[in-house]
Amino acid sequence: MQQLPLGFAPDRRIFTVSELTTQVRELLEDRFADVWVGGEISNTRAAPSGHYYFTLKDRDAQLRCVCFRQNALYLKLKPQDGLAALVRGRVSVYEVRGEYQLYVEYLEPQGYGALQLAFEQLKRKLAAEGLFDEERKRPLPEFPRRIGIVTSPRGAVISDMLRILERRFEGLQILVYPVLVQGDGAADDICKALRHFSDTRCVDVVIVGRGGGSLEDLWAFNEESVARAIAECPIPVISAVGHQADFTIADFVADLRAPTPSAAAELVIRQKSEFVEMISGVERRLVQAVRYRLAITGRRLLETSVDRATASLRRRLGALWQRVDEREFQLRQAVVRRLRTAEARYRDARQSLVVLDLRVRLAQTRAQLEGRRERLMPLMAWRLEASRSKLESLDRQMRQLSPLAILERGYAIVEASDGAIIRSSEQTAPGDSLGVRLHQGRLRVRVEDRRFD
């Protein structure tokens, strides 16, 4: 075997760490410029700058991820530990530590929860029975004289609906059936209200609704009993549950779905739902198309040689942002350690003062005061309980004697336009304007007919 002369070395290429890291980064960015990755989020950290740092992992591997503030602002779901998610972004290298990581631009949850699965199963079942078919849905009356509303008697929903109905059609007769709209018993209340309107036929159209909330909050409107009560109601039913993005089983069964309770109050008077839905749909598709075009155009510009300097600057700024965040995390940890050390010293100094006679005497005096306090507290509690019982008795007597208690049981006080109390139908004539005082609020009504029985 031929030996090389002493001091001789073959030609070889020697990279600096920065050169090698840069070439690796360029290879990764070219190969993985736009990828989707699924996994479980862990080790989430939210920096004061608005950036998010987390790890995406599966059973065998993990991937560091960073979502800068300009992308995090548009995430509908923020990163959180334990969340199974699909993320979209580009793969690059954080050159300071020589680590590759995913720069996240979009994030969405992965998979269905138990409630969502139950929702889909019931939806398929009722759809197979034909409860969602358009053929069985009836048009709303063109000019309804009486409108029934099934919702909670408290909150902004009923106030907004009554205000809109009064503005759009003054003098319209509105019957409100108060019900629970979430929690135990809510579904039964809604079914009773629908059966009441079905049996009495006292209204021309029924609105069933509530404000927005989570899937759990809206679950009463996903119960099969409520869906069948809506389907069996002989009166046209409008479903107005939650916000425009919320969908429930009641929406699919009802004769008309309103995006919000306020929109239902507008649609029940005059048909314009098709126009509103068309404009909203075109707007959404147009916004999505424009955003898609802007994203594609921006990405193409970044890939051109003219904008490579801009892309490099953005990468450098991203690395600097990440370094600043890391320094801030380290500083916070150092401050916490210093505070814990000072607290330990304070506890030691405080313990050393226990041996002083003054502290012992104070402790003895405090024990004496505590003993007297323990003897005094039962006496004070007895006196307070006696006073509370007497006050409750007086309160019950006052409620029984109050005329408002009579109104609370469903009675009302009818007044003439001059304020006189109406005790007999003979005091009125058709066309008279009367005031009606209820337990909550007042009404202005007009006499159409009178009877003397």
Side-chain angles (χ1 to χ4, degrees):
M1 179 177 179
Q2 183 179 3
Q3 295 184 352
L4 297 175
L6 185 64
F8 174 82
D11 293 337
R12 55 185 176 180
R13 170 71 187 277
I14 300 176
F15 290 90
T16 65
V17 175
S18 298
E19 291 174 343
L20 181 60
T21 303
T22 299
Q23 292 198 18
V24 171
R25 174 179 55 77
E26 291 176 350
L27 288 173
L28 288 175
E29 290 180 349
D30 291 340
R31 176 65 178 83
F32 304 103
D34 185 3
V35 295
W36 286 86
V37 185
E40 180 183 339
I41 294 177
S42 63
N43 301 323
T44 304
R45 294 189 300 171
S49 58
H51 310 324
Y52 282 90
Y53 301 92
F54 58 92
T55 300
L56 198 64
K57 65 179 183 178
D58 57 19
R59 186 177 60 183
D60 301 319
Q62 62 181 10
L63 172 65
R64 290 184 179 273
C65 302
V66 57
C67 183
F68 291 128
R69 179 176 179 273
Q70 65 268 25
N71 293 316
L73 289 174
Y74 299 101
L75 294 181
K76 294 182 179 179
L77 181 68
K78 303 304 181 185
Q80 54 184 345
D81 289 350
L83 176 67
L86 292 175
V87 298
R88 180 182 184 180
R90 58 184 176 85
V91 178
S92 186
V93 175
Y94 179 41
E95 299 177 354
V96 176
R97 288 203 302 262
E99 296 179 347
Y100 88 96
Q101 56 188 14
L102 181 67
Y103 291 81
V104 177
E105 300 174 359
Y106 177 77
L107 183 148
E108 66 181 29
Q110 185 178 19
Y112 285 122
L115 287 179
Q116 186 66 35
L117 180 60
F119 174 91
E120 295 294 341
Q121 290 175 344
L122 180 58
K123 180 180 175 183
R124 288 193 295 268
K125 174 184 176 182
L126 298 181
E129 296 181 16
L131 267 66
F132 301 165
D133 293 346
E134 291 295 329
E135 293 78 12
R136 58 165 295 276
K137 298 187 178 183
R138 296 150 300 185
L140 301 183
E142 196 68 23
F143 298 103
R145 296 182 58 189
R146 293 176 296 276
I147 298 174
I149 300 178
V150 179
T151 188
S152 172
R154 302 177 181 86
V157 170
I158 186 64
S159 300
D160 291 344
M161 294 177 70
L162 292 176
R163 175 176 51 80
I164 293 172
L165 289 172
E166 179 67 19
R167 186 186 72 236
R168 294 177 64 85
F169 201 108
E170 186 178 2
L172 195 66
Q173 296 184 31
I174 303 169
L175 302 180
V176 179
Y177 196 113
V179 296
L180 295 173
V181 293
Q182 71 180 72
D184 295 335
D188 291 338
D189 275 7
I190 297 170
C191 292
K192 290 178 183 177
L194 290 169
R195 285 194 293 268
H196 167 77
F197 287 126
S198 298
D199 296 338
T200 60
R201 303 291 184 96
C202 57
V203 295
D204 301 317
V205 64
V206 178
I207 300 175
V208 181
R210 63 151 288 160
S214 65
L215 181 60
E216 291 81 0
D217 295 337
L218 304 179
W219 193 251
F221 299 89
N222 290 322
E223 294 285 357
E224 183 175 355
S225 59
V226 173
R228 297 195 181 279
I230 293 175
E232 295 168 1
C233 183
I235 303 169
V237 178
I238 300 176
S239 175
V241 182
H243 302 300
Q244 187 167 359
D246 299 323
F247 280 87
T248 64
I249 297 296
D251 294 330
F252 297 103
V253 181
D255 297 290
L256 178 66
R257 185 250 177 183
T260 64
S262 299
E266 296 179 352
L267 295 173
V268 74
I269 300 301
R270 185 175 58 186
Q271 285 281 3
K272 61 176 182 179
S273 59
E274 295 180 359
F275 176 79
V276 173
E277 287 296 322
M278 180 188 68
I279 296 299
S280 300
V282 171
E283 181 182 5
R284 289 193 298 269
R285 290 193 295 272
L286 181 61
V287 169
Q288 291 174 355
V290 170
R291 287 181 176 175
Y292 176 78
R293 286 292 183 184
L294 289 175
I296 294 300
T297 303
R299 190 174 299 280
R300 288 175 178 173
L301 288 174
L302 289 176
E303 292 174 353
T304 61
S305 58
V306 177
D307 290 327
R308 285 192 178 276
T310 303
S312 175
L313 179 60
R314 291 184 62 183
R315 286 193 298 270
R316 290 178 178 273
L317 287 175
L320 290 174
W321 281 341
Q322 191 165 350
R323 293 181 66 179
V324 169
D325 290 337
E326 289 179 349
R327 295 294 185 271
E328 185 170 354
F329 288 135
Q330 294 171 1
L331 179 61
R332 287 189 177 188
Q333 293 174 355
V335 170
V336 170
R337 286 195 298 269
R338 294 291 297 273
L339 288 176
R340 288 177 178 173
T341 301
E343 184 179 358
R345 291 177 179 176
Y346 170 75
R347 286 196 301 267
D348 294 341
R350 184 177 180 181
Q351 187 65 28
S352 64
L353 293 176
V354 175
V355 299
L356 297 179
D357 292 340
L358 181 59
R359 298 296 296 273
V360 174
R361 291 176 182 176
L362 288 175
Q364 294 174 349
T365 304
R366 185 180 297 108
Q368 294 175 359
L369 291 175
E370 288 294 333
R372 295 174 182 175
R373 177 176 176 274
E374 291 178 357
R375 292 192 297 272
L376 183 60
M377 288 302 294
L379 179 60
M380 292 178 62
W382 177 82
R383 293 293 300 273
L384 287 174
E385 184 62 29
S387 299
R388 185 181 296 107
S389 299
K390 184 176 181 180
L391 179 60
E392 290 176 351
S393 177
L394 293 174
D395 181 66
R396 287 193 298 270
Q397 295 176 13
M398 182 183 70
R399 288 178 178 272
Q400 292 174 356
L401 296 175
S402 172
L404 295 178
I406 299 175
L407 297 182
E408 188 175 3
R409 294 198 295 270
Y411 293 92
I413 298 175
V414 182
E415 300 174 348
S417 57
D418 58 358
I421 301 301
I422 301 299
R423 295 180 173 82
S424 173
S425 59
E426 295 178 351
Q427 295 178 250
T428 65
D432 288 353
S433 177
L434 304 179
V436 179
R437 179 175 180 180
L438 306 175
H439 172 59
Q440 292 184 347
R442 295 173 179 270
L443 299 175
R444 176 63 60 183
V445 301
R446 187 174 303 278
V447 176
E448 295 185 356
D449 190 11
R450 64 176 185 171
R451 298 179 183 177
F452 302 99
D453 48 358

